[in-house]
Amino acid sequence: MKAMQDLPVINRLLDLNNENIVSFHVPGHKNGRLYERFQYKNFIDVLHQLDTTEILGTDNLHHPEDVIKESQERASKVFGSEETFFLVNGSTSGIYSMIMAATSPGDKILIDRNCHQSVINAMILGDLVPIYIYPRIEEGQGISIGMPEEEIERQLIAHKEIKAVILTYPTYYGIAWDLKKIGEIVHKYDKILLIDEAHGAHFGLSVHLPPTALSCGADCVVQSTHKTLPSFTQSSMLHIQGNRVQREKLKSMLKIHQSSSPSYLLLSSLDFAVMLYKEQGEALMEELLRNIEGFKADIGTCSRIKVMGEEVVGENKAFALDPTRLWIAVEGVKGYDLDAILRKRFRIQMELSNEYGVLAVTTMGNNKADFDQLQRALQIISSEYMDRCIEEIDVQRYRAPKQVLTPRAAFYGKKKRILLKESIGEISGEYIIPYPPGIPLVIPGEEINEEVLNVLDQMIKGKKEILGLRDGAYQWIDVILR
Ligand SMILES: Cc1ncc(COP(=O)(O)O)c(C=O)c1O
């Protein structure tokens, strides 16, 4: 399609489309490829005509009685829930809804500190007091690999008034905890287990993937269908089982957090994703896992390229690893640089990077040619970019800041603006969120420490996008007035 005048967003998207970028990022349909492969292109061609609202013949997401009900019921069967709700405001809206359905203002809730920002936003909205568990960090990669189950139990004993536990499962990097065991602990203390399974909507498709959160006994689960399955960006699902979370309260929360004009285009894409999952999912997943095996075998011949694998699984480490997430490092090349080289020189877009490596989100939409291109590019990079030895990379350790105020108290507290470099020891009045992955480095109410500023400095130098800090030059920060 030709570029048109005065349409900045559309023209940029058309330009990107013409670049034929190889997608190792979300959304899971990979530039619409799965719609084309399964001949749903005719649906896409008339998308503009299908954009509608609640009229005679459609249905109402907030009170479904017809086609939405039918599609949600099919999803519930396919994903093994008791009831499933379609989300058109991202997993974010499902996370707000399930947390606020399971709690009341003033309640305490146990959270993994490497959660997505939406979990913390729910603390602000729902006036909740978070108690954090800190996953174990793999020093060599800078990512969380283990969830200390004994710590969960300790916190549940120490804070009897905790209402619910919310965990990220799997992490952005595909790390899974022993959720069955965690579920047993949480339920032993009669608490509610909520799971942010944003990155695990595909888990039911193969025995080679970690078990689904529902099969591990979670009470309520939110999945980003758009990330690893082929629905459109912003469309997700919330699944529920059992009666620990009140269904009526959950439905009220969904009405509050979702648009009164839900997009039928997003709903249609969820319908498609469920159908594909059911009809073709297992075969497509098998094909993907085969392609990944081939890619890893080819890469294995080059000692300078490392793909994270089973070495992170074991005692005091990860319980399981999602093989469709590829965390890749090239010796001698910083992750941030690797990310930029892949995109600028090889037209390959990865999901995210840090100082050490880059992350590929692979889905059923990726084909063998994608993996071949990635493999060739990595091999060229590993032989041409050897200017810095990995040992020389100045790795900054992150020490999670201490919580002094609740996120809500800090959010609404009186603030002053000071220079970021003079903020050590101050209580942050705002978020600092590297994006992606959207996991806050600093949460409002936390005390800023030196390690945080060092890591932030490294991210800014790596040209990583930082959300939260209102000042675009990253020089100033709002802290609590004391
Ligand atoms: C772990 C996790 N949870 C929740 C979300 C929010 O999902 P959405 O963007 O669909 O609102 C994200 C988004 O990246 C995420 O990574």
Side-chain angles (χ1 to χ4, degrees):
M1 203 189 292
K2 277 208 318 270
M4 293 168 271
Q5 276 181 339
D6 286 337
L7 292 168
V9 176
I10 293 181
N11 283 337
R12 178 59 55 82
L13 293 178
L14 290 173
D15 287 348
L16 288 170
N17 196 34
N18 287 339
E19 254 190 75
N20 283 323
I21 291 166
V22 178
S23 166
F24 283 105
H25 59 94
V26 298
H29 55 69
K30 304 291 171 180
N31 307 331
R33 193 186 273 159
L34 282 170
Y35 288 87
E36 287 170 21
R37 179 165 172 189
F38 292 94
Q39 275 139 45
Y40 275 78
K41 201 168 169 305
N42 53 353
F43 151 69
I44 301 289
D45 285 344
V46 291
L47 220 49
H48 57 300
Q49 293 166 5
L50 302 185
D51 183 29
T52 184
T53 185
E54 292 78 20
I55 55 168
L56 191 67
T58 59
D59 198 356
N60 189 326
L61 180 66
H62 297 291
H63 183 59
E65 291 185 312
D66 195 349
V67 283
I68 296 177
K69 181 167 186 273
E70 195 183 323
S71 192
Q72 288 188 151
E73 283 175 358
R74 180 181 60 166
S76 165
K77 277 204 197 88
V78 168
F79 288 91
S81 73
E82 282 176 18
E83 201 169 351
T84 290
F85 302 91
F86 286 171
L87 304 171
V88 292
N89 294 73
S91 291
T92 296
S93 61
I95 287 171
Y96 293 169
S97 300
M98 74 174 172
I99 291 178
M100 289 166 70
T103 55
S104 299
D107 279 348
K108 287 189 178 163
I109 180 163
L110 193 62
I111 296 180
D112 58 323
R113 177 56 182 81
N114 65 330
C115 64
H116 183 257
Q117 54 183 310
S118 54
V119 173
I120 307 302
N121 288 336
M123 304 298 107
I124 297 174
L125 293 169
D127 193 7
L128 299 170
V129 181
I131 295 173
Y132 297 114
I133 330 169
Y134 296 86
R136 285 185 279 268
I137 305 276
E138 155 75 49
E139 292 284 330
Q141 303 287 342
I143 60 176
S144 316
I145 58 155
M147 178 61 71
E149 295 102 13
E150 64 287 356
E151 180 60 17
I152 295 180
E153 184 151 20
R154 249 199 308 278
Q155 294 290 358
L156 291 178
I157 294 169
H159 302 274
K160 298 211 166 21
E161 60 290 16
I162 284 174
K163 273 283 175 55
V165 177
I166 172 150
L167 299 177
T168 317
Y169 171 95
T171 67
Y172 221 124
Y173 304 86
I175 303 279
W177 329 119
D178 188 351
L179 199 55
K180 209 165 174 46
K181 187 165 163 194
I182 292 172
E184 282 163 9
I185 295 171
V186 172
H187 291 152
K188 182 168 98 183
Y189 293 91
D190 209 17
K191 310 297 178 196
I192 300 167
L193 182 61
L194 309 173
I195 295 296
D196 172 1
E197 202 178 29
H199 295 275
H202 57 298
F203 277 4
L205 288 176
S206 168
V207 290
H208 302 295
L209 300 173
T212 66
L214 281 172
S215 73
C216 293
D219 298 299
C220 222
V221 176
V222 169
Q223 295 176 330
S224 292
T225 322
H226 63 97
K227 288 189 184 12
T228 60
L229 296 175
S231 69
F232 292 159
T233 298
Q234 213 171 303
S235 62
S236 293
M237 288 186 212
L238 186 152
H239 307 292
I240 185 168
Q241 63 185 355
N243 52 15
R244 288 191 183 87
V245 177
Q246 289 171 34
R247 302 266 170 115
E248 288 314 310
K249 191 170 172 196
L250 178 66
K251 286 180 191 168
S252 302
M253 287 297 172
L254 285 166
K255 285 192 183 107
I256 291 173
H257 292 117
Q258 296 229 77
S259 169
S260 60
S261 311
S263 159
Y264 272 89
L265 305 184
L266 297 183
L267 294 170
S268 305
S269 75
L270 285 167
D271 205 30
F272 172 78
V274 180
M275 181 281 296
L276 198 75
Y277 186 103
K278 179 167 171 271
E279 306 293 333
Q280 311 279 347
E282 289 185 8
L284 289 172
M285 183 52 69
E286 211 178 299
E287 185 182 312
L288 171 66
L289 294 177
R290 230 183 2 258
N291 286 334
I292 290 172
E293 277 303 301
F295 165 79
K296 283 186 169 174
D298 291 341
I299 284 294
T301 59
C302 175
S303 63
R304 298 190 59 232
I305 307 172
K306 297 268 180 288
V307 182
M308 186 169 78
E310 290 299 309
E311 72 282 358
V312 298
V313 177
E315 206 179 328
N316 287 332
K317 296 188 189 173
F319 176 71
L321 181 66
D322 173 5
T324 71
R325 287 290 152 109
L326 301 175
W327 177 242
I328 303 167
V330 174
E331 196 187 310
V333 186
K334 280 191 178 199
Y336 297 126
D337 297 338
L338 182 57
D339 202 10
I341 298 163
L342 281 169
R343 175 58 200 277
K344 289 185 185 144
R345 180 167 166 195
F346 297 97
R347 287 187 300 98
I348 297 174
Q349 178 69 56
M350 306 304 275
E351 174 71 12
L352 59 82
S353 56
N354 74 9
E355 193 71 6
Y356 310 86
V358 293
L359 181 72
V361 171
T362 76
T363 73
M364 308 186 283
N366 286 109
N367 58 26
K368 182 156 184 324
D370 294 343
F371 287 100
D372 289 347
Q373 268 179 267
L374 180 60
Q375 181 226 322
R376 270 196 301 276
L378 288 169
Q379 262 156 352
I380 293 170
I381 293 169
S382 74
S383 63
E384 289 185 13
Y385 296 81
M386 304 184 64
D387 48 330
R388 285 192 71 190
C389 175
I390 197 91
E391 281 76 25
E392 286 173 23
I393 289 176
D394 181 18
V395 170
Q396 305 285 355
R397 301 273 170 252
Y398 171 70
R399 181 165 61 90
K402 193 170 95 202
Q403 182 183 205
V404 183
L405 294 175
T406 65
R408 184 179 170 100
F411 184 84
Y412 286 109
K414 283 210 164 52
K415 304 184 185 75
K416 62 176 178 181
R417 190 157 292 186
I418 62 168
L419 280 169
L420 191 59
K421 63 178 184 215
E422 291 171 3
S423 66
I424 293 174
E426 299 285 348
I427 303 169
S428 183
E430 56 187 322
Y431 280 111
I432 303 180
I433 308 176
Y435 196 85
I439 299 168
L441 203 60
V442 174
I443 291 171
E446 288 185 333
E447 189 178 280
I448 299 160
N449 62 38
E450 191 179 348
E451 288 85 344
V452 160
L453 291 193
N454 288 341
V455 170
L456 181 62
D457 184 50
Q458 205 170 53
M459 287 175 168
I460 293 168
K461 284 188 189 132
K463 300 207 171 24
K464 199 157 176 74
E465 187 170 0
I466 313 288
L467 303 181
L469 287 174
R470 255 153 276 180
D471 147 51
Y474 306 130
Q475 278 198 7
W476 301 88
I477 184 167
D478 287 351
V479 297
I480 300 297
L481 196 60
R482 294 201 252 200

